[in-house]
Amino acid sequence: MKLLTFLFLFCTLSLQAQFQINGVVKDSETKKALPFATLATENGTVSIADVDGKFSFTLLTPPEILKISYVGYQSKTISLFEKKPYFTVLLTPQTDALKEVVLNYENPANDIIRKVILAKDNNNPLKKLKTFQYKTYNKLLVTANPDSISGKIDTVYVDFATKDKVAKIDSSDYKFKKLITKQHLFLTEKVSQFQFEKPLLKETILGTKMAGFKEPIYELLGFSLQSSSVYDDKYELFETKYKSPISDRALKEYRYKILDTTTIENREVLVIYFKNKISRKGLEGLLYIDNENYAVAKAVMRIRSVLNITGTHEFDYLSEEKIWFPMRKNFKIIKGKSKEPTAVLGGRIEFAAEYDNENQIRKDASDFTYLASEMQVYDLQVNPKLKIKKTAIAIDVKANANQRDEAFWQDNRSDSLDTRSERTYIVLDSVVTKEKIEKKIKFGRKIINGYLPFGPIDFDLRYLLSYNNYEGFRLGIGGVTNEQFSKIFRLEGYTAYGLKDEKSKYHIGSAIRVGNFSNTWIGGSYTDDVREIASTNFAIDKRVFKLYDPRPINISTFYNHQTWRAFIETKIIPKTESIWQIAHSDIQPLFDYTFVYQDQLFRNFAMTSAMVSIQWNPNSAYMQTPNGKIEYEKRYPKFTFQLTKSLSNLFNNDFEFSKIDARIEYEKKYLNGQKSAVLLQGGYVFGDLPLTHLYNTSPNNLTKDNLLQRITIAGKNSFETMYFNEFFSSEFVMLQFKHGFKRVELFKKVKPSLVLVTRMAWGNLKNPEDHIGIEFKTLDRGFFESGIELNQIYKGFGLTGFYRYGPNQLARLEDNIAIKLSFVLDLGL
């Protein structure tokens, strides 16, 4: 995965110009930067400095002069005959500086923004137009500007008098400059068709080309770099949503200032600077507002944080429809200021940490590297007759999208590729082929998911070795056939042996794929194995690979089940994944237990049931690829629902019951590394069921008198102070809150992650007297615990502490405390 991280580390726009101008604009007295100053050459080229007063633009022919202007300052003209690598322009404030005209004690910019907000629906193409369609050409690169790199060769300066080495310059920058002068670090192109039928906007990818890959990494094609519309109340910039500067309540959160007036497409526009006055990490930038209809004619959105990110939107005026339509988007990421490495895009791009002492470390490649993307709209059609199909799919990738010939790209590129871009494809394609990187990526993905690929079989690493208190050490082997065996048929199975119970277990199953779009599989299986009593399991849950599973280590109460199962797995319902099944199980509790049901005693029993398990992700975005449907943008909340119903007179079923389970998950990740999570889960049983199939709410504490004897490994969502088999319920609800802070470096290799956790549960058990042979309590008074997790203190290992309180608090203080070890395997994904 490090190869993938490196390959996808870097992106930008082609630099086709021959003359580059770089510099910064500052106040001559305070030396503070002047954001968004205007720069103009004698040939009419106009550019705007960024929020830090910095500017960088390129021209095909070298200009002679550059004029810099800023509201309230004297304009300045500098000569460009002297080719400096960097210009520092100092502007002098005017003695009679223009002040904002105050009408009724109100900033005039606020009045303009108020009119913009009121006119949003009439100016927003997604609101005003019924249908439209267009094509786009998008290029995304990771690169660096060679001129910004010093690039000196290794040199040692020696004091001739003392013969001491005075200084040494590392040649890494020289090597990096030599590389980046010839090629980019990464490059991908995409041609898409967008169709809008109110209120849906859908993308169909017609062609895609990713340097080094015969088949693109489809998830990367769906990353949201910036909002498609500037009129939404929330503006998204690199997977983070901010309140828009023209949202309905923006005037309470933003400060505005009129900087200048200019023209775009012969229409007069006002240049308005905005900045969030509540949050230092909020949006700031420029809005170019049409002075006649108060529409946005151009927008520059910027955040300065651990990363500096800029998103630009440019519009063309459609005179017939009297609307500004978005035609160009630009996006750029450069390194910000952070005391620790910052990973983005799921860890595929990482920027090195800042240091207080610049001499402490030489500049990293990420100090020069930037990611940039440009999108150009063409073939625009307004209000055509169209009907969008497969509306639940946000992005549809054509089957031949990655097989387009050069003629296709020449017809659809907004401009021809420069030499650096062409060489990027040649070099990366060669490197990836030679090093078999695509195969290594596929191999790495399977290893991360717990499979070891070997020819047509992916061996399942979960079955190799595990431990619990009933089986002792459990040895096994298992796997599933992969696409080399067949893309439409699969076989799966495992066998295991417990050294303590001296019993063999096994599973065998098969399935056939009957739908590519819906990814539907029909299959059946037989299982003879053991399972923890009263454990809640959602059949739809994705397989999670763990090097260890901490809870079963301490569990002694299991039941054996011999289960026949017929099932259908499908994604045919929009934004859902579901499993529909019929199963028959013969159950044997492996502990002292008898269940009383309708005046009969049951030690062993049979259950036949139908079940549907559905996960619904209403806010997630889905992509249809040649390999099937994928959830490329996972958004919360996520809803999971499961209904199990007994089948009365089928295969000797012993009990009449229905069982409903539900779960809601919510997570929010922050760019600074923090994360909040909420989990709400509940279950309810109609009728009567044996203890084996009720609820235990995931306890994870040993019944030992001494606190140190109870130290085990913490679970993910388990109750750490609740003892095994302490509570059982036929109906329950549990709620969990977590907030994780970013890792803090205490020492060089000690960087713990602090997580605050609170859990609570309520429940009840109908007819507790029907369960004989095991003592337990109910959750009718509730259960509460809170704690602190210090994860990844050293090489994944951590320490957690939890405290039990509330009505079910125990008499001895020591019995309410649980101390656990934790282990988090960080694979850098």
Side-chain angles (χ1 to χ4, degrees), residues 124-268:
N124 184 357
L126 298 174
K127 296 284 187 179
K128 187 175 182 178
L129 302 177
K130 292 183 179 180
T131 64
F132 58 76
Q133 69 179 16
Y134 56 83
K135 291 182 180 179
T136 64
Y137 168 74
N138 178 259
K139 179 166 62 177
L140 182 147
L141 328 114
V142 183
T143 191
N145 179 9
D147 295 336
S148 64
I149 307 169
S150 62
K152 296 180 181 179
I153 303 176
D154 281 346
T155 308
V156 177
Y157 296 93
V158 178
D159 188 315
F160 287 99
T162 62
K163 303 299 182 182
D164 292 335
K165 295 180 180 178
V166 177
K168 182 177 180 179
I169 300 175
D170 197 304
S171 66
S172 299
D173 289 352
Y174 171 79
K175 296 175 182 177
F176 182 62
K177 180 174 182 176
K178 188 176 180 181
L179 169 69
I180 208 66
T181 301
K182 296 180 179 179
Q183 67 178 80
H184 303 299
L185 298 168
F186 180 78
L187 171 63
T188 183
E189 297 176 278
K190 181 176 68 170
V191 172
S192 298
Q193 181 182 57
F194 284 83
Q195 294 179 305
F196 173 74
E197 183 183 11
K198 201 172 186 177
L200 179 67
L201 180 66
K202 180 178 179 179
E203 178 184 4
T204 301
I205 298 179
L206 306 175
T208 179
K209 193 175 184 181
M210 189 173 290
F213 295 88
K214 293 180 180 178
E215 184 176 47
I217 302 172
Y218 290 109
E219 294 86 345
L220 304 186
L221 300 178
F223 274 121
S224 178
L225 299 177
Q226 61 192 121
S227 289
S228 59
S229 173
V230 298
Y231 289 103
D232 296 336
D233 272 359
K234 295 289 186 181
Y235 181 82
E236 186 172 0
L237 199 58
F238 199 57
E239 301 178 298
T240 303
K241 291 186 177 181
Y242 305 87
K243 181 174 286 188
S244 168
I246 55 173
S247 64
D248 291 341
R249 302 174 62 86
L251 288 165
K252 293 186 177 181
E253 189 163 329
Y254 283 92
R255 184 179 294 111
Y256 304 89
K257 181 180 180 181
I258 299 176
L259 293 184
D260 204 352
T261 60
T262 185
T263 59
I264 300 179
E265 296 195 16
N266 298 318
R267 294 179 66 87
E268 186 179 81

Side-chain angles (χ1 to χ4, degrees), residues 390-403:
K390 302 177 183 177
T391 56
I393 302 297
I395 301 178
D396 192 355
V397 184
K398 290 296 185 182
N400 61 342
N402 65 323
Q403 299 169 359

Side-chain angles (χ1 to χ4, degrees), residues 114 208 225 293 403 433 446 461 464 566 646 710 720:
R114 187 175 291 108
T208 179
L225 299 177
N293 60 11
Q403 299 169 359
T433 301
K446 291 189 176 182
L461 300 177
L464 292 179
S646 61
R710 297 199 299 270
E720 303 300 334

Side-chain angles (χ1 to χ4, degrees), residues 563-812:
T563 301
W564 292 93
R565 173 176 173 257
F567 64 88
I568 297 176
E569 300 174 1
T570 184
K571 298 180 181 179
I572 195 169
I573 303 174
K575 299 200 172 186
T576 68
E577 300 176 45
S578 61
I579 293 179
W580 308 70
Q581 73 173 38
I582 295 177
H584 173 80
S585 298
D586 293 311
I587 309 295
Q588 178 186 0
L590 300 174
F591 60 102
D592 184 18
Y593 175 69
T594 301
F595 178 50
V596 181
Y597 178 72
Q598 295 182 351
D599 298 326
Q600 297 184 52
L601 301 180
F602 288 87
R603 277 284 302 148
N604 302 322
F605 36 86
M607 301 174 67
T608 305
S609 61
M611 185 200 72
V612 56
S613 185
I614 298 178
Q615 180 167 302
W616 179 43
N617 309 321
N619 297 320
S620 291
Y622 288 85
M623 177 189 297
Q624 185 69 37
T625 76
N627 298 329
K629 190 186 304 181
I630 61 175
E631 183 186 4
Y632 73 90
E633 191 169 348
K634 298 179 181 180
R635 299 173 185 160
Y636 291 88
K638 292 175 175 286
F639 302 89
T640 309
F641 175 82
Q642 185 164 288
L643 172 63
T644 308
K645 179 71 174 70
S646 61
L647 301 177
S648 303
N649 300 312
L650 192 62
F651 301 124
N652 301 318
N653 176 59
D654 287 325
F655 311 121
E656 288 290 331
F657 68 91
S658 297
K659 189 177 182 182
I660 296 176
D661 296 283
R663 180 179 64 201
I664 302 174
E665 302 169 89
Y666 179 79
E667 286 186 8
K668 181 175 177 60
K669 294 182 180 180
Y670 306 92
L671 196 58
N672 62 6
Q674 299 188 56
K675 183 174 80 169
S676 299
V678 180
L679 172 65
L680 176 63
Q681 184 172 326
Y684 194 96
V685 174
F686 297 89
D688 295 301
L689 271 178
L691 206 66
T692 52
H693 289 68
L694 296 181
Y695 304 106
N696 63 12
T697 59
S698 297
N700 193 28
N701 203 10
L702 297 174
T703 52
K704 303 285 185 179
D705 290 333
N706 189 290
L707 176 62
L708 296 180
Q709 291 178 317
R710 297 199 299 270
I711 295 179
T712 56
I713 300 176
K716 182 181 180 181
N717 297 318
S718 54
F719 283 86
E720 303 300 334
T721 61
M722 184 185 293
Y723 294 99
F724 287 102
N725 299 331
E726 183 179 3
F727 298 93
F728 290 99
S729 305
S730 57
E731 54 199 65
F732 87 101
V733 61
M734 67 88 68
L735 181 62
Q736 173 182 270
F737 298 97
K738 279 188 176 185
H739 182 80
F741 298 88
K742 64 180 181 180
R743 299 181 69 178
V744 178
E745 183 175 356
L746 300 180
F747 304 101
K748 187 175 181 180
K749 294 186 178 181
V750 180
K751 300 178 181 179
S753 170
L754 174 65
V755 182
L756 304 180
V757 185
T758 291
R759 298 187 182 99
M760 55 198 77
W762 297 267
N764 188 35
L765 180 63
K766 294 178 291 186
N767 305 319
E769 66 278 3
D770 291 344
H771 307 279
I772 303 172
I774 186 170
E775 294 184 3
F776 57 86
K777 296 183 288 186
T778 61
L779 287 169
D780 56 302
R781 295 188 301 160
F783 188 95
F784 305 86
E785 72 174 21
S786 295
I788 297 176
E789 298 179 356
L790 285 175
N791 297 321
Q792 296 175 283
I793 296 176
Y794 182 75
K795 291 188 176 181
F797 289 95
L799 190 66
T800 72
F802 285 84
Y803 182 70
R804 173 174 175 169
Y805 55 93
N808 274 299
Q809 188 175 38
L810 302 175
R812 282 202 319 164

